[in-house]
Every structure is written in C-alpha cells, then in structure tokens.
C-alpha cells in the first residue's frame, strides 16, 4: 500500500510564488516518473510537469519558464516551485507517481490534491 500526500497550497497574489511538496510513503521498491497535474473547476485534469527518476523533465507550455519540478529520491518527495503565478494557475494540484512495488508489478497513484488560488 502506497500513499502520496501533498502540501504547500494556498492563496497567493498574482506574480507571487508558491512551493508544493508531495511525499510518498508505504511499501515499494522505487518510484519511476513523478508529476504534478491540475484541475480547475469545470475543466479536465491536465499535466503541469513530470520528472523521471534521473531528473529528465517536461512541462506544459502554459507553465514553461515559470514553474520548476524537482525531486529528492532519498526522501521520495517531489516539488513544484511556482513563480510568477497567474490567476489562470488557480486549480487543485494533484501529485502522481509510478510506484515499482516489486520487480513484477507496480501501480500508478494519486495524491488527494492541494488547492492553489491566485488572486489579489
């Protein structure tokens, strides 16, 4: 059984910064890709950024140059540094991870979500 717990969401003014964290726990061998997704009211969940175990990253066009994803493989934690935020970044942000449970199987898991609201 594995779990992802996000933290760091909140209210931030346009142009401000916020840092999200997501810690993985439970019984697993390792974690492959980790990522952040977001879902605004009335919209589908969309990719924000993903990072591989060795640190290769990819970003949605809307956040390139403003957001940075990183991870700590020792602490099994992924981060999302959000700079120069805009009102359109307002959404619930979800952490995702591809767990390797054993060499024969794995699972794709989601956190419970953390709300980010960008408003003056």
């Amino acid at each position: 059984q594995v779990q992802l717990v996000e933290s760091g969401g909140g209210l931030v003014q346009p142009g401000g910064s916020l840092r999200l964290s997501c810690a993985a726990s439970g019984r697993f061998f390792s974690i492959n890709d980790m990522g952040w997704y977001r879902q605004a009211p009335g919209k589908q969940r969309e990719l924000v950024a993903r990072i591989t175990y060795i640190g290769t990253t990819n970003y949605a066009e809307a956040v390139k140059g403003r957001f940075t994803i990183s991870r700590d493989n020792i602490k099994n934690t992924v981060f999302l540094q959000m700079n120069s935020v805009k009102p359109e970044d307002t959404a619930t942000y979800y952490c995702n991870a591809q767990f390797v449970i054993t060499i024969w199987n794995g699972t794709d898991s989601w956190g419970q979500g953390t709300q980010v609201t960008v408003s003056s």
Side-chain angles (χ1 to χ4, degrees):
Q1 189 168 340
V2 296
Q3 187 178 19
L4 294 168
V5 178
E6 299 107 333
S7 61
L11 175 65
V12 60
Q13 292 187 343
S17 297
L18 208 59
R19 190 188 196 213
L20 306 183
S21 300
C22 173
S25 62
R27 300 188 67 176
F28 54 90
F29 180 72
S30 67
I31 306 174
N32 289 333
D33 289 9
M34 301 184 81
W36 289 96
Y37 291 73
R38 67 187 181 187
Q39 187 168 18
K43 295 188 176 182
Q44 290 194 340
R45 190 173 297 187
E46 62 179 6
L47 170 71
V48 176
R50 287 193 70 81
I51 185 168
T52 68
Y53 182 84
I54 61 170
T56 303
T57 59
N58 70 288
Y59 296 91
E61 286 296 325
V63 307
K64 278 184 179 178
R66 299 188 297 121
F67 292 7
T68 301
I69 189 171
S70 60
R71 64 188 285 174
D72 182 331
N73 290 331
I74 301 299
K75 296 183 178 179
N76 295 312
T77 301
V78 63
F79 306 96
L80 185 69
Q81 179 65 43
M82 305 168 63
N83 297 331
S84 303
V85 296
K86 304 175 181 180
E88 51 263 44
D89 295 321
T90 296
T92 301
Y93 284 70
Y94 296 91
C95 174
N96 172 263
Q98 297 176 342
F99 288 93
V100 178
I101 306 300
T102 70
I103 60 172
W104 298 283
N105 67 82
T107 187
D108 193 68
S109 294
W110 294 87
Q112 82 286 354
T114 186
Q115 178 66 36
V116 172
T117 302
V118 182
S119 175
S120 55

